[in-house]
Amino acid sequence: NLKTDRVEFSASQWKVMGYRNERSSITAAEVFSQILEEDRERTRQHLLNSITLGQDYRSEFRYLTETGRVIWLLGLGRPVLD
């Protein structure tokens, strides 16, 4: 949600991302802080392009889990603009 700067995930997505406890949401800054530095700017650019152009989002990146493990994620999305 661009207005609230909150990102929501399903219960299974929280689990895949390595969180031990499901949360209601997380800030975009928190999500990006867990993406490995080498992948962060490219991933951010993919997301910004998706929002700006109104196109589907797709990006593969490495993510640091709550337990310190690095996992590969494939982020997929579609911007819904008001």
Side-chain angles (χ1 to χ4, degrees):
N1 187 322
L2 296 174
K3 292 179 184 176
T4 64
D5 190 41
R6 303 298 294 180
V7 181
E8 298 177 7
F9 299 105
S10 69
S12 61
Q13 287 172 313
W14 284 114
K15 188 175 181 180
V16 166
M17 291 171 64
Y19 289 93
R20 289 174 257 183
N21 298 311
E22 182 182 332
R23 301 160 68 174
S24 60
S25 66
I26 188 172
T27 67
E30 288 176 286
V31 172
F32 275 98
S33 73
Q34 297 305 110
I35 295 174
L36 264 57
E37 187 174 350
E38 300 87 358
D39 300 342
R40 196 173 298 146
E41 188 54 37
R42 175 183 44 78
T43 303
R44 185 183 316 274
Q45 202 56 48
H46 286 167
L47 183 59
L48 290 175
N49 288 344
S50 170
I51 294 166
T52 303
L53 302 173
Q55 298 176 343
D56 289 354
Y57 166 76
R58 178 186 172 98
S59 189
E60 288 185 71
F61 51 89
R62 291 166 289 175
Y63 193 85
L64 183 63
T65 69
E66 205 173 45
T67 61
R69 201 176 81 168
V70 175
I71 60 172
W72 278 95
L73 293 176
L74 172 62
L76 301 170
R78 175 172 290 145
V80 177
L81 308 171
D82 293 337

